[in-house]
Amino acid sequence: MTRPPAPPRFPVALDRMHGRARPAASQTLRPQAPLQHAAQTAAQHASGRATPSGLGLDSAAVRQRMVQRLRADGVRNDAVLNAFAAVERHRFVDSALAIQAYEDTSLPIGLSQTISKPSVVARMLCLLGDGATARQQGQLGRVLEIGTGCGYQAALLALLGRSVVSIERLKGLHDKARENLVGHRHVDLRLVYGDGRLGHAPRAPYDSIVAAAGGEDLPQAWLDQLAVGGRLVAPMQDAARGGQVLLVVDRQPEGLVRQWHDAVHFVPLKSGAA
Ligand code: SAH
């Protein structure tokens, strides 16, 4: 005898709501691509057609599912995966978008900026973790982040580094990140308002430098502030490829060594503060 289908249960667990299409390996990583999707969901919420709230967004199980997807995609760094399991991404985005917080999508954070997709953030953190100092110490050491945004990646970095300085050029986002990070337990996290192209000399040198915005060139200050054994990961325009790529720079005792990795699509690195 076959059993009758189970009646639908509401609310539906968040981790059962969305299937996931895996991007083709060669596809450009686009942290901003699903903005339109996010806007549609926000509109649905506004019109009352979306799934009701209260879906257990604070559930560790939902985050764990995101971590499983990252692992299935090849993320092998346990410290990075543990950080993703620990930080509540939905608390860093607008409540109308919280339902999408654990999908592999970028989301708007205001002032025309976006929080990157988890898979892109994981890729950058893993590249940083492969740096010489991080390999020796088992963590990212002294970290400099350019582009605090909503503070999500800063919260991850704070679990992976010994100390973190994160710079944001937009006052509105700097203030928002400060609010979002209240109550987070951090060893040593300093949020700085200013032009990240200048780095942050008072706390240099850094073992790990990561930029969340992409420029045409690599600011000299970042190279000057990179410790020997340290690694820098930044999206950068690559004239030869005609697009942005992730650039990795290692400061070895003999000098700087550059490697170009995945094609990406980050918001622009701008000059000055606003
Ligand atoms: N890591 C962020 C992502 C932010 S998006 C997060 O987890 O939310 C990139 C950010 O870089 C934007 O907030 C943008 O304002 C900022 N940015 C761009 N140019 C900058 C600069 N020169 N200095 C500091 N921040 C910059």
Side-chain angles (χ1 to χ4, degrees):
M1 197 178 91
T2 51
R3 289 170 60 180
R9 294 228 184 140
F10 296 96
V12 178
L14 183 71
D15 59 351
R16 300 182 57 188
M17 288 186 47
H18 294 282
R20 183 174 127 79
R22 285 183 62 162
S26 61
Q27 190 178 319
T28 299
L29 303 174
R30 289 180 180 276
Q32 290 87 14
L35 268 179
Q36 202 183 352
H37 180 197
Q40 278 165 2
T41 305
Q44 282 179 346
H45 275 265
S47 68
R49 283 185 289 116
T51 315
S53 59
L55 296 172
L57 278 168
D58 54 351
S59 150
V62 182
R63 263 192 314 290
Q64 206 52 55
R65 193 174 157 89
M66 172 180 74
V67 168
Q68 280 164 8
R69 286 196 314 254
L70 291 173
R71 199 190 297 274
D73 272 356
V75 178
R76 292 283 173 266
N77 184 319
D78 285 335
V80 169
L81 291 169
N82 288 342
F84 273 95
V87 179
E88 299 178 321
R89 191 169 184 257
H90 70 276
R91 295 199 185 280
F92 290 82
V93 295
D94 190 273
S95 57
L97 301 173
I99 195 156
Q100 289 183 269
Y102 298 106
E103 290 179 40
D104 197 28
T105 62
S106 63
L107 294 170
I109 53 174
L111 301 177
S112 307
Q113 305 302 318
T114 53
I115 180 176
S116 302
K117 293 179 355 166
S119 57
V120 174
V121 177
R123 175 77 177 130
M124 295 184 92
L125 297 180
C126 287
L127 284 171
L128 276 183
D130 289 343
T133 303
R135 275 201 313 273
Q136 280 159 21
Q137 297 185 353
Q139 57 169 3
L140 302 185
R142 296 157 293 176
V143 182
L144 173 67
E145 180 192 36
I146 295 95
T148 314
C150 66
Y152 175 67
Q153 183 171 272
L156 295 170
L157 289 168
L159 296 176
L160 296 166
R162 195 145 52 84
S163 64
V164 179
V165 173
S166 181
I167 313 178
E168 174 56 55
R169 67 178 287 276
L170 297 177
K171 185 73 166 67
L173 286 177
H174 168 76
D175 291 343
K176 198 183 224 180
R178 196 171 283 291
E179 265 173 43
N180 288 342
L181 289 162
V182 165
H184 277 256
R185 282 174 288 120
H186 298 119
V187 260
D188 184 359
L189 169 60
R190 178 170 302 191
L191 299 183
V192 174
Y193 166 55
D195 183 357
R197 289 180 57 87
L198 307 174
H200 187 68
R203 287 214 160 182
Y206 301 97
D207 303 306
S208 304
I209 298 182
V210 60
E216 302 286 326
D217 58 347
L218 210 50
Q220 186 59 40
W222 299 357
L223 299 175
D224 293 344
Q225 293 174 22
L226 188 61
V228 175
R231 173 171 275 201
L232 177 157
V233 178
M236 196 60 48
Q237 198 62 31
D238 178 6
R241 286 219 216 174
Q244 261 183 2
V245 292
L246 278 184
L247 174 62
V248 172
V249 181
D250 288 314
R251 179 176 289 285
Q252 296 182 355
E254 312 75 44
L256 296 169
V257 178
R258 292 163 197 249
Q259 297 168 46
W260 282 265
H261 286 262
D262 325 42
V264 286
H265 194 82
F266 277 76
V267 294
L269 180 74
K270 296 197 170 165
S271 296

